[in-house]
Amino acid sequence: MKLVKQFIEKDKSGYVTLIPEEFEDMWHVYNLIQKHDQLRAVTIRRIQSESSTGSVDSQRIRLTLSISVDNVDFDTQVGMLRISGRVIVENPHVKLGTFHTIDLEMNRSFTLIKPEWDVIALERVQEACDITKKADVAAVVCQEGLANICLLTSSMTIIRQHIDCPVPRKRKGSVTNYEKGLKRFFEQIYQAILRHIDFDIVKCVILGSPGFVREQLYEYIFAEAVRTDNKTIMQNRSKFIVVHTSTGHKQALQEVMNDPAIKIKLADTKAAQEVQALDQFYEMMNMDPDRAFYGYKDVSKAAERGAIGTLLVTDELFRAADVVKRRQYIALVESARASGGKVFVFSSLHVSGENLNQLTGVAAILNFPLPDLDDEEEEQVPEDDADLDEDGLPPMHSNQNHDILDAVLG
Amino acid sequence: MNFGSSLKTQSAKKAAGSTPSAKAPLLSGGDGFDRSGAVTPVGSAPPSGISTPSKASTKIGKRIDVVTEYQKRVAEKESLNLVVIGHVDAGKSTLMGHLLYLQGEVTEKTIRKHERDAQKIGKASFAFAWVLDETGEERARGITMDVGVTKFETEHRRFTLLDAPGHRDFIPNMISGTAQADVAILVVDATTGEFESGFDANGQTKEHALLARSLGVQQLVVAVNKLDVVGWSEARFQEIVAKLEQFLVKDASFKKSSLIFVPCSGFTGENLVRSVVETFAWYKGPTLIQTIDKLDAPTRAVEKPFRMSVTDVFKGTGGVSAAGRLEAGHIQIGEAIMVMPGSEMAVVKNMEVNDEPTRWAAAGDSVLLTLSGIDILQVSTGSVLCARDAPIPVTTHFAAQIVVFDVKIPITVGFPIIMHHQSHNEPGVISKLVATIDKGTGEVVKKNPRHLGKNTTAMVEIRLNGRAIPLETFKDSKELGRVMLRKGGETVAAGIVTKILSFGS
């Protein structure tokens, strides 16, 4: 993403003009935009005009509109970001207060005006514009009969294709069915790799599986590339890395990140750091449960006492429509930093982020044990649970009513 | 948790006297379908054999009274499913290959051929293992990757043999094999250093034994293998027995009386079928084959509604072939069944039990069914075929009682797991920690625990990320109500399903 202009007042209000350049930038924007923010961008709107004879003429025109954001929708698969809201700046074609939905476009600037630019938002802008932290990796995790073709960027994990191709098992006296099935399975993976992996972008392609599937797959890919004379695959042979994982499900990506060979390649990427931080948390919970806590109540109590060494928090919490809640979490992050703690904002699109999301979304490794924290919590635990349930649902599809409204008005 | 008392199902014999001669129509439909929901009426009278001759049955011949036939067969010779487990390279496949050869299941000619071929690639000692390891990959690498299934008979028993892989990466396959088994042979390598490496934390000996126990195996024969390498040392044998017994009785809670230790050598064949006095006179006990001939068959749930978990599906001649084990009930040619998930119907066209064509099969049998009237895409590994008037529930959310194994990191809310159920595995998360439970008394120790450490027993809720799977509570089905939870290549917990919290997918 490119930062074109940034102007922030002393009271933290201000605007930022950005140009999204790739897929991942849309995700960053999705995390930036909040309800009641103002957005100005180029968009297309259908204008209907009625002539004096009563015939209706409709045409689509390109114009710049400013809206007050009501709702943000993001499709991870195609990277489409739709922002809907009311028009706040009068325009010869569009009246004030009408609804409009902007589909943000790549390589076109937009301006985001926020009443308050907090740390998290500003960091997000910085992170999105930092090209040194980019690492695009493709991973194929598989087990016999099941494969996931994924793309990993620094803040997103996208499953491009899920292959479920049952392989018959070996039977006494006949293994032809098994071998045929396996070949068909590999063929599907090969095709998926051709279709989904852009070798100009990805730095490496990770093949991970339990057993020997990955090696068989590796051999198959290159045998097939030679047979069909596929230059791209052959030229990129050095990009393929074979890694052991215990399963072919998406969870295996976490193991991939922990593999020493991959760690070196991805060491400074956000994704790898997140996996490590989460692992440390679990380890600490095992070694000294009084130094590892999760859930807002426990963690904020620990923060009050300045005990937080590492704070893990998912970006989903900052996307909350509830401003009070967002402020709470920002205060938490700030107080953890003030006492010298490290803060990791997990991307909820990564496997580790999903994991943390399930774990109430916030966790902390403490510098010193706080055994009494647990006791205080005892009675309040059920409340904590209710809290989790509310948070548990991502607010992604909560806007159906608006969509309908939009369709009617727009 | 008590996995033990799992065999109190009505015995087939008892049931024989009281079989209600209710002429439940098998093919005439009607009944059953309007039974709302997927809750399985377990206690309800299963369709007993003699049915009113319907259209279909006249076409395919007379209905068979399976229950009576089953008792006849049991009286003649009992069937057992035997799984062979143990650490990688303990010699499981060689031991069983040799046993099959000595029992006359494999011809001299085949063995000679394997010997020659194995010699060619420099793996002469693998000749017997090749009986069960048939794929090119398995032979080239010299390890079992998938469960090898075959059969053999002893004097009093008929066995379906499942040869499980020992390599840790193939534990999902081992679980699939063990889930179908009634009894197990645990093979351990007696060689100095090898036994120890298989037995310590990174070895599979312990994990396999725990899994087998959690999957309902109660009788365990421990074959102390490769004794020829250590010169038939009695001291070594006793040392291994002492170490294993301690673990199996204390940690894996096997009953001491249902553990039998047999010294042997799978490679030379000593003490498999005949005892050899010259080599080790100190051993007075039975040979391996005599030992397994005495194993008890568990009582089968023949009277319950039909259930079969599918372990393998392929295109067969004239339909879809589905292999698996009958968990409950019985089935015969011409009967209609329902495939869950999906609720698709199919008709059993043909069937084989242990490679022999038959007309019927009952709980406990390892069968190969040919189904007609269904597309292959509708049946997959992990599907459950069931009686159409009593379909199995399909769910993504359920409550379970779990025993946490020796885990490195504690289990918390949101802990991602791969759940293994029969031959299927599906990713999921532990969505709620309900309570920790005292192992002995079954009382709640702590409600809403923050995390579960090793060896705790707890009530949890599990949510699957993806597709819904067919599942039954442990109360309703001992076989289909067990789940194994794994993460990162390690088994973190074993559990039983206590309540199904959502129905449908």
Side-chain angles (χ1 to χ4, degrees):
Chain A
M1 194 134 67
K2 245 182 222 149
L3 180 61
V4 180
K5 213 173 185 184
Q6 184 176 9
F7 180 80
I8 287 156
E9 302 264 11
K10 281 239 172 70
D11 68 348
K12 286 184 179 171
S13 66
Y15 67 88
V16 166
T17 305
L18 296 160
I19 305 178
E21 290 172 315
E22 51 178 32
F23 196 62
E24 195 179 14
D25 293 339
M26 290 298 175
W27 167 251
H28 290 305
V29 178
Y30 173 56
N31 278 287
L32 271 179
I33 300 184
Q34 290 208 282
K35 209 174 170 182
H36 306 309
D37 288 353
Q38 295 172 10
L39 179 79
R40 187 162 70 240
V42 174
T43 174
I44 293 171
R45 189 172 168 95
R46 197 160 54 93
I47 305 288
Q48 280 190 335
S49 57
E50 205 179 303
S51 70
S52 51
T53 55
S55 67
V56 178
D57 185 30
S58 131
Q59 61 184 134
R60 292 159 65 82
I61 54 164
R62 192 168 264 276
L63 72 173
T64 308
L65 281 181
S66 292
I67 59 166
S68 161
V69 178
D70 256 359
N71 230 309
V72 190
D73 247 336
F74 183 60
D75 185 330
T76 49
Q77 284 300 311
V78 289
M80 174 89 108
L81 190 61
R82 312 190 72 189
I83 302 133
S84 59
R86 280 173 188 270
V87 174
I88 46 165
V89 175
E90 179 91 34
N91 182 294
H93 301 287
V94 189
K95 276 195 198 115
L96 202 66
T98 50
F99 279 97
H100 186 77
T101 301
I102 298 178
D103 283 351
L104 272 195
E105 286 174 62
M106 294 275 191
N107 299 317
R108 245 174 226 290
S109 68
F110 67 90
T111 304
L112 183 65
I113 305 149
K114 267 179 181 292
E116 184 189 347
W117 284 90
D118 49 45
V119 215
I120 296 294
L122 288 173
E123 270 172 20
R124 178 65 77 168
V125 173
Q126 215 170 32
E127 188 196 319
C129 299
D130 186 354
I131 46 161
T132 57
K133 291 223 174 108
K134 296 266 183 293
D136 283 358
V137 172
V140 180
V141 284
C142 52
Q143 65 193 36
E144 250 170 48
L146 176 80
N148 283 298
I149 320 288
C150 331
L151 277 183
L152 302 166
T153 64
S154 68
S155 56
M156 293 173 92
T157 301
I158 308 146
I159 301 223
R160 279 316 191 144
Q161 193 171 347
H162 175 86
I163 297 171
D164 202 345
C165 167
V167 177
R169 305 173 89 163
K170 69 171 184 185
R171 298 200 68 80
K172 202 172 135 197
S174 158
V175 293
T176 46
N177 259 332
Y178 165 78
E179 272 154 13
K180 250 195 236 159
L182 203 60
K183 207 175 157 212
R184 199 174 53 228
F185 174 56
F186 287 151
E187 174 62 24
Q188 286 195 16
I189 299 181
Y190 181 73
Q191 291 304 334
I193 289 177
L194 292 186
R195 201 171 316 131
H196 295 296
I197 298 178
D198 182 351
F199 285 93
D200 294 336
I201 296 175
V202 299
K203 277 189 180 158
C204 63
V205 181
I206 299 162
L207 306 179
S209 85
F212 309 107
V213 183
R214 57 184 181 277
E215 279 141 34
Q216 284 169 281
L217 176 65
Y218 183 83
E219 278 163 30
Y220 181 89
I221 289 172
F222 292 103
E224 198 63 16
V226 170
R227 197 178 68 81
T228 55
D229 199 25
N230 189 320
K231 293 260 163 39
T232 5
I233 298 265
M234 284 192 280
Q235 277 162 3
N236 286 294
R237 193 176 187 127
S238 60
K239 283 189 181 170
F240 283 81
I241 306 173
V242 178
V243 173
H244 174 265
T245 64
S246 67
T247 140
H249 293 290
K250 195 176 154 195
Q251 285 176 18
L253 291 173
Q254 226 163 333
E255 289 172 45
V256 167
M257 298 282 186
N258 267 331
D259 189 275
I262 305 296
K263 254 188 193 166
I264 298 166
K265 290 224 169 198
L266 301 178
D268 55 345
T269 61
K270 195 167 138 67
Q273 283 171 355
E274 287 173 6
V275 171
Q276 270 171 32
L278 192 65
D279 271 4
Q280 277 165 9
F281 172 76
Y282 274 115
E283 259 162 46
M284 186 54 84
M285 186 159 240
N286 196 34
M287 271 159 45
D288 187 354
D290 293 333
R291 283 183 60 193
F293 286 92
Y294 64 85
Y296 178 73
K297 278 199 180 102
D298 282 356
V299 174
S300 64
K301 276 210 182 97
E304 273 167 32
R305 303 186 202 182
I308 292 179
T310 313
L311 180 71
L312 322 173
V313 50
T314 61
D315 54 14
E316 195 164 300
L317 296 172
F318 302 112
R319 239 181 291 140
D322 184 353
V323 183
V324 183
K325 215 174 211 170
R326 186 180 158 104
R327 287 232 175 89
Q328 268 183 351
Y329 284 106
I330 288 167
L332 194 61
V333 168
E334 278 171 344
S335 83
R337 282 216 179 112
S339 60
K342 265 190 282 179
V343 177
F344 290 99
V345 180
F346 279 48
S347 165
S348 50
L349 282 185
H350 280 313
V351 182
S352 51
E354 265 173 37
N355 193 347
L356 186 62
N357 251 339
Q358 293 285 338
L359 196 77
T360 70
V362 57
I365 306 172
L366 310 191
N367 283 330
F368 47 85
L370 291 174
D372 49 328
L373 212 58
D374 202 14
D375 307 334
E376 287 171 30
E377 279 308 298
E378 201 88 314
E379 303 97 56
Q380 295 164 5
V381 167
E383 284 172 39
D384 227 299
D385 259 0
D387 217 355
L388 171 89
D389 278 344
E390 276 170 33
D391 286 352
L393 291 167
M396 282 198 161
H397 301 288
S398 54
N399 54 332
Q400 281 191 340
N401 280 336
H402 284 278
D403 268 350
I404 294 163
L405 247 172
D406 232 340
V408 173
L409 291 169
Chain B
M1 185 190 327
N2 190 3
F3 285 115
S5 63
S6 55
L7 292 162
K8 282 173 192 155
T9 42
Q10 339 147 261
S11 93
K13 275 171 200 157
K14 248 186 276 162
S18 61
T19 308
S21 53
K23 295 186 180 172
L26 282 174
L27 278 170
S28 48
D31 153 75
F33 276 108
D34 40 8
R35 204 174 285 157
S36 63
V39 189
T40 324
V42 169
S44 75
S48 84
I50 339 125
S51 90
T52 42
S54 65
K55 239 184 186 173
S57 63
T58 41
K59 209 161 57 180
I60 51 144
K62 232 179 122 202
R63 298 244 130 247
I64 300 157
D65 182 356
V66 177
V67 175
T68 332
E69 290 288 325
Y70 174 72
Q71 276 143 25
K72 268 191 226 158
R73 192 180 77 184
V74 169
E76 181 197 324
K77 222 175 203 187
E78 286 202 86
S79 311
L80 271 172
N81 294 306
L82 171 75
V83 68
V84 187
I85 55 174
H87 188 61
V88 65
D89 284 340
K92 294 174 292 299
S93 300
T94 303
L95 181 79
M96 293 331 285
H98 204 145
L99 194 74
L100 289 172
Y101 167 63
L102 294 175
Q103 285 301 101
E105 292 290 334
V106 186
T107 58
E108 183 81 24
K109 203 176 134 205
T110 323
I111 289 292
R112 294 285 158 263
K113 186 172 176 296
H114 287 333
E115 265 174 14
R116 273 198 312 278
D117 294 347
Q119 196 119 37
K120 264 183 216 155
I121 60 162
K123 290 185 187 292
S125 63
F126 284 85
F128 286 120
W130 282 20
V131 171
L132 289 148
D133 294 349
E134 291 185 277
T135 66
E137 199 71 17
E138 285 181 323
R139 288 184 177 177
R141 294 183 190 271
I143 63 161
T144 309
M145 286 159 67
D146 201 353
V147 180
V149 186
T150 183
K151 46 111 195 177
F152 69 96
E153 281 184 33
T154 60
E155 204 184 331
H156 304 103
R157 300 276 182 273
R158 201 176 273 132
F159 283 100
T160 300
L161 173 71
L162 304 139
D163 177 42
H167 192 287
R168 57 181 307 167
D169 274 359
F170 302 116
I171 288 197
N173 293 340
M174 179 266 173
I175 292 175
S176 153
T178 312
Q180 301 170 55
D182 307 310
V183 291
I185 297 183
L186 175 67
V187 182
V188 292
D189 188 343
T191 322
T192 320
E194 287 298 317
F195 167 73
E196 284 73 14
S197 72
F199 190 66
D200 71 13
N202 287 322
Q204 263 62 63
T205 308
K206 280 182 176 173
E207 189 175 8
H208 274 199
L210 282 170
L211 280 171
R213 187 71 189 89
S214 321
L215 285 162
V217 169
Q218 301 196 24
Q219 303 169 76
L220 186 74
V221 177
V222 181
V224 182
N225 195 17
K226 302 195 188 176
L227 270 180
D228 53 329
V229 185
V230 291
W232 308 104
S233 153
E234 186 181 3
R236 180 67 176 158
F237 176 69
Q238 292 303 348
E239 181 195 343
I240 290 170
V241 169
K243 265 191 194 161
L244 274 176
E245 200 168 61
Q246 157 97 9
F247 165 75
L248 291 172
V249 172
K250 240 185 103 201
D251 299 335
S253 61
F254 276 99
K255 272 199 215 108
K256 205 174 169 182
S257 54
S258 54
L259 286 176
I260 310 158
F261 292 85
V262 181
C264 64
S265 166
F267 184 57
T268 60
E270 261 112 341
N271 212 29
L272 294 185
V273 172
R274 66 208 152 78
S275 58
V276 186
V277 188
E278 312 91 64
T279 40
F280 55 121
W282 50 266
Y283 181 71
K284 299 280 186 298
T287 61
L288 188 62
I289 209 100
Q290 285 164 349
T291 314
I292 58 174
D293 195 40
K294 286 198 200 83
L295 294 173
D296 301 322
T299 28
R300 317 268 188 203
V302 183
E303 298 284 300
K304 284 195 175 181
F306 166 69
R307 294 276 185 276
M308 174 183 145
S309 70
V310 177
T311 56
D312 188 17
V313 183
F314 55 95
K315 264 203 189 98
T317 42
V320 176
S321 292
R325 183 172 96 127
L326 257 74
E327 309 295 351
H330 50 76
I331 186 81
Q332 52 185 299
I333 291 180
E335 256 176 351
I337 49 111
M338 189 189 262
V339 181
M340 295 299 276
S343 313
E344 287 291 325
M345 297 292 207
V347 175
V348 179
K349 215 173 144 196
N350 250 316
M351 69 169 91
E352 282 177 15
V353 173
N354 289 335
D355 301 327
E356 275 160 37
T358 118
R359 296 192 55 78
W360 61 274
D365 290 344
S366 186
V367 295
L368 178 65
L369 300 183
T370 308
L371 305 174
S372 67
I374 193 161
D375 190 84
I376 190 158
L377 293 173
Q378 308 281 1
V379 196
S380 64
T381 303
S383 297
V384 172
L385 311 183
C386 38
R388 34 175 226 173
D389 55 347
I392 185 167
V394 171
T395 182
T396 54
H397 186 196
F398 59 94
Q401 185 173 338
I402 62 167
V403 176
V404 181
F405 284 8
D406 202 354
V407 286
K408 284 195 199 104
I409 54 170
I411 294 178
T412 55
V413 172
F415 195 80
I417 43 138
I418 305 282
M419 193 194 86
H420 293 254
H421 177 249
Q422 295 286 330
S423 301
H424 194 58
N425 57 69
E426 198 68 40
V429 291
I430 295 187
S431 56
K432 197 172 180 190
L433 308 180
V434 180
T436 50
I437 289 172
D438 187 282
K439 223 177 244 180
T441 60
E443 274 168 29
V444 171
V445 179
K446 188 179 178 195
K447 272 193 180 167
N448 296 307
R450 281 203 321 134
H451 55 86
L452 308 174
K454 57 179 78 163
N455 302 328
T456 41
T457 304
M459 298 292 301
V460 297
E461 281 178 21
I462 296 169
R463 227 177 243 284
L464 300 180
N465 298 346
R467 290 166 295 183
I469 61 157
L471 203 64
E472 262 184 300
T473 57
F474 187 71
K475 211 172 80 232
D476 290 343
S477 168
K478 306 282 177 260
E479 292 81 14
L480 296 165
R482 295 178 194 276
V483 293
M484 301 293 126
L485 311 181
R486 307 192 79 233
K487 180 181 191 258
E490 274 160 30
T491 307
V492 292
I496 55 171
V497 179
T498 50
K499 199 176 175 198
I500 290 169
L501 300 169
S502 80
F503 292 100
S505 35

